[in-house]
């Protein structure tokens, strides 16, 4: 059921994008155009593409909420353990021996504070 609704949701989303891209550009974004045939006029509100956009947007939001509720109430486990490894199959990790310090040179010691960092001064 969830997969079926997800496919329907994807079809609605693709149709919504197509209908929005088919609409005529009015100039000025977000309804700021001075055209009398805009969205708020009687002629603009009755346009088929405007109505289709409103219906598809409502269906998209409704399906989004429905899918979120269904996903939250599913009885699926919280963690997928299908790829988990058992500790017995792993080889023990061995640490390599430290490299010998050449004689005649002192080992380099890291400073105890942040005085070596240029931005810390």
């Amino acid at each position: 059921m969830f997969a079926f609704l997800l496919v329907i949701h994807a079809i609605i989303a693709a149709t919504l994008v197509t209908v929005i891209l088919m609409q005529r550009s009015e100039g000025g974004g977000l309804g700021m155009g001075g055209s009398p045939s805009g969205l708020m006029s009687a002629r603009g509100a009755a346009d088929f593409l405007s109505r289709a956009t409103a219906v598809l947007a409502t269906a998209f939001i409704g399906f989004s909420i429905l899918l979120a509720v269904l996903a939250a109430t599913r009885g699926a486990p919280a963690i997928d353990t299908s790829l988990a490894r058992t500790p017995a199959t792993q080889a023990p990790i061995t640490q390599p021996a430290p490299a010998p310090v050449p004689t005649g040179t002192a080992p380099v010691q890291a400073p105890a504070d942040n005085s070596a960092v240029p931005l810390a001064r």
Side-chain angles (χ1 to χ4, degrees), residues 30-59:
L30 298 176
M32 296 295 181
S35 172
S37 64
L39 179 65
M40 301 310 267
S41 68
R43 191 173 127 211
D47 189 28
F48 171 73
L49 291 177
S50 298
R51 287 183 187 251
T53 302
V55 168
L56 287 170
T58 303

Side-chain angles (χ1 to χ4, degrees), residues 2-103:
F2 187 79
F4 175 73
L5 292 177
L6 194 60
V7 169
I8 297 296
H9 188 65
I11 291 171
I12 289 173
T15 308
L16 181 62
V17 168
T18 304
V19 168
I20 288 173
L21 290 176
M22 285 179 16
Q23 292 182 11
R24 182 173 53 98
S25 175
E26 296 287 331
L30 298 176
M32 296 295 181
S35 172
S37 64
L39 179 65
M40 301 310 267
S41 68
R43 191 173 127 211
D47 189 28
F48 171 73
L49 291 177
S50 298
R51 287 183 187 251
T53 302
V55 168
L56 287 170
T58 303
F60 182 82
I61 297 297
F63 268 89
S64 297
I65 293 171
L66 178 65
L67 286 170
V69 169
L70 285 176
T73 58
R74 289 174 75 174
I79 298 175
D80 182 17
T81 59
S82 63
L83 297 176
R85 295 183 185 167
T86 59
T89 61
Q90 296 176 349
I93 299 173
T94 59
Q95 296 292 332
V101 178
T103 58

Side-chain angles (χ1 to χ4, degrees), residues 13 45 52 92 105:
T105 60

